[in-house]
Amino acid sequence: MTTKQLESPLYESLQAQFEIVSLQDQHEATKAYRTQAMETFRALGFPSIKNEEWRFANVLPLVKTTYEVSADKNAQISEETLAHAQSLIAAHKEDILPKLKGEEKGAYRLVTINGVFSKELSFLPDNAGITISTIGEAVDHPGYQEYFGKIVTLENNAFASLNSAMFTDGLFIELKANTVLDMPIHIIKVKLASGNALFQPRNLFIVRKNAQMDVIETYISDADNEAAILINGVSEIALEENAHFFHYDIQKGCKNIRKIQRNEAVQQKHSNYSNYTFTFPGSSFTRNNLTIHLNDEAIESHLYGLYLTAGEQLVDNHTEVHHKKPNGESNQLYKGIIMDKSKAVFNGKIYVYEDAQKTNAFQQSNNVLFSEQATVHAKPQLEIFADDVKCSHGTTIGQLNKEAIFYLKSRGIGEEQAKQLMVKAFAFDVAEKIKIPALRSYVEEMIIEEMKGH
C-alpha cells in the first residue's frame, strides 16, 4: 500500500465510514465478514497500473475524487427523490420501458433508487416460488446464510473486498426448486446524487434445482447532473443442479458514471449460466469482472459481450472461467467497436483443472477500430492441466474492410451507410444470441442509433 493511498481523501473517508457501517450491522456472521474484507482491502490498497490486471485501466483519477460515502443501512427514499426517479423513468419510456414493461411486453419490473428498493415503482411476480427482498432483510434467510460471501473471491480483489466491507444496499433474489419464472425480471437501477457519490450495491441471486429465470439489469441517471458517481458493485450467483439463469446487463449511462462491477457465479451439475454484457457509449469508465466456477460435471456456461465505445470512454472486460470437473462446456464471444479516442480492453482466461477431462472451452475476441485514435488491448489466455480436452482461443483487431466498403459504394450505397451495414453484420452476431425478442430488438436499435454520424 502506498503513502499516496493512505493520504487519499477517499481512502481516509472509507476508513472512517467503515466503523459506522460495522456498528450498524447486528448480524454477527456478516459483521465478521465485513471485518475480514476490510482487512483484505487495507492490505491491498487501490490497484495501480503496475498491477497486471489493471495495467490498462487507471483508477487513480477515480480514487483521487472525493465522494460522499453512504454509511446508512436504513436509508429511506424521500418523496422528492421518488418523484424525481419516477420522472426519469418516464423520460426513458421511449427507449426502455415499451420494450420491457410488464403489462405490455412481458417483463416484471424491480426499481432501486440509489440502491434502495422502491416497491412503489416496481411490478413484481406474484409467485410463491420466488423470494425478492433487500440484502439487509435477507440475513436470516437460509439461502443468504448458505451462499452470502462464499462465492466472491476477495483475494487480490481490492474493489470486491471494499464492497464486501461496506455494502449498505442491494438485492436478494431466490428462485425455489422446480420454479420457472414466466417473465424476465427487469431491474432498473436509478442513480441520483446532488454531489459526488459512491454507491456499493451487493446482490445475491440463487437459482435452485430445476429452476429457471431471466434477469435484465439497466441503469438510469440524471443526464443534467455533473456530479461524479462511482458504482462499485458485486453480485454473487448460485446455480444448483439443472438450474438455468440467463443474465443480461445493458450498460448505458451518463458520462459522470464510473462503474466497477464484479459478477461471480458457482454452478452445479447440468446447470446453464448465460451472461450477456452489452456496453454502449456513455459512462466514462466501465470495468466488468466476470468469474464462473464450473464445480461439477456436465455444466454449460455462455458468455457474450459487445462493447461499442465512443468519445474518451474506457471499457474493460475481464473474464475467468474455471473448469473443475469433466464434460463441461464454455463459450465466450466478445466483440468490440471502438470509435473516436475511446479505449477498450478484453482479458479472458480459461482454466482447465486436472480433473476436468472431456472439457470443451472456446473463446473468441473480435475488434474493429473505427478511428485512428481508438485503441484496444485484447489478451485471451488458456491454462490447461488436463489431457483429453478441446479448447481454443483467438483474437482479431482490425479496421473495416476497404474493399468491402468500395463494393457497397459501387452499388450506390453511401459511405456512411456502407460502414453502418458492415458494423451491423459484425455486431448483430452477438446480439442475435439474446433469447428475449423484445430485448434483442432494443439492443439492435441501440447499435444502429449509436453508429449514426460515425
Side-chain angles (χ1 to χ4, degrees), residues 387-441:
D387 299 323
D388 187 7
V389 301
K390 292 181 180 179
C391 298
S392 68
H393 66 180
T395 186
T396 61
I397 300 173
Q399 297 178 324
L400 292 179
N401 188 310
K402 293 181 179 179
E403 292 182 1
I405 293 174
F406 177 79
Y407 174 82
L408 290 171
K409 289 171 66 177
S410 69
R411 296 298 186 270
I413 298 172
E415 183 169 354
E416 182 175 334
Q417 187 180 3
K419 289 180 178 179
Q420 289 180 5
L421 285 171
M422 293 183 66
V423 166
K424 288 177 193 176
F426 176 79
F428 285 4
D429 187 34
V430 181
E432 71 177 6
K433 306 294 184 184
I434 297 173
K435 297 185 179 299
I436 303 171
L439 182 62
R440 182 168 60 247
S441 297

Side-chain angles (χ1 to χ4, degrees), residues 277-319:
T277 302
F278 293 86
T279 310
F280 293 95
S283 174
S284 60
F285 184 104
T286 300
R287 167 70 177 239
N288 296 310
N289 299 298
L290 177 57
T291 300
I292 314 297
H293 301 274
L294 288 76
N295 288 339
D296 211 332
E297 297 186 39
I299 291 174
E300 282 187 56
S301 295
H302 302 277
L303 313 182
Y304 302 114
L306 175 69
Y307 38 98
L308 185 63
T309 65
E312 297 183 0
Q313 181 180 21
L314 167 70
V315 175
D316 186 343
N317 286 292
H318 271 59
T319 67

Side-chain angles (χ1 to χ4, degrees), residues 3 61 86 102 116 178 201 220 240 298 343 364 390 407 440:
T3 303
Q86 195 166 14
V116 181
N178 304 309
I220 294 178
E240 297 189 346
K343 181 166 74 172
Q364 185 67 36
K390 292 181 180 179
Y407 174 82
R440 182 168 60 247

Side-chain angles (χ1 to χ4, degrees), residues 309-425:
T309 65
E312 297 183 0
Q313 181 180 21
L314 167 70
V315 175
D316 186 343
N317 286 292
H318 271 59
T319 67
E320 292 181 24
V321 177
H322 296 262
H323 284 270
K324 300 178 182 180
K325 298 293 180 180
N327 299 304
E329 179 180 341
S330 69
N331 293 286
Q332 296 183 61
L333 176 61
Y334 275 71
K335 289 195 171 186
I337 301 165
I338 302 95
M339 303 181 289
D340 304 327
K341 297 180 181 179
S342 63
K343 181 166 74 172
V345 181
F346 174 77
N347 188 325
K349 301 184 182 73
I350 298 174
Y351 300 95
V352 182
Y353 292 54
E354 188 175 356
D355 292 339
Q357 303 295 339
K358 304 291 184 182
T359 288
N360 291 330
F362 305 99
Q363 181 189 93
Q364 185 67 36
S365 166
N366 301 118
N367 301 275
V368 172
L369 296 172
F370 221 70
S371 161
E372 293 183 358
Q373 296 173 299
T375 57
V376 63
H377 304 275
K379 186 181 180 183
Q381 295 176 253
L382 272 174
E383 291 190 22
I384 303 173
F385 300 96
D387 299 323
D388 187 7
V389 301
K390 292 181 180 179
C391 298
S392 68
H393 66 180
T395 186
T396 61
I397 300 173
Q399 297 178 324
L400 292 179
N401 188 310
K402 293 181 179 179
E403 292 182 1
I405 293 174
F406 177 79
Y407 174 82
L408 290 171
K409 289 171 66 177
S410 69
R411 296 298 186 270
I413 298 172
E415 183 169 354
E416 182 175 334
Q417 187 180 3
K419 289 180 178 179
Q420 289 180 5
L421 285 171
M422 293 183 66
V423 166
K424 288 177 193 176

Side-chain angles (χ1 to χ4, degrees), residues 33 45 52 64 75 92 102 113 138 183 188 253 280 315 339 444:
Y33 177 72
E52 180 65 24
K64 285 180 68 176
H92 282 71
I113 303 173
M183 295 194 297
I188 303 174
F280 293 95
V315 175
M339 303 181 289
E444 290 175 349

Side-chain angles (χ1 to χ4, degrees), residues 242-289:
N242 200 38
H244 292 69
F245 184 20
F246 300 94
H247 192 185
Y248 302 90
D249 192 357
I250 313 300
Q251 302 175 342
K252 178 176 172 59
C254 300
K255 187 178 180 180
N256 64 324
I257 296 286
R258 298 99 175 263
K259 182 171 177 282
I260 299 169
Q261 176 67 36
R262 184 173 187 85
N263 292 337
E264 192 154 354
V266 292
Q267 295 183 244
Q268 295 182 18
K269 193 173 184 178
H270 297 303
S271 63
N272 181 336
Y273 176 69
S274 295
N275 181 281
Y276 308 77
T277 302
F278 293 86
T279 310
F280 293 95
S283 174
S284 60
F285 184 104
T286 300
R287 167 70 177 239
N288 296 310
N289 299 298

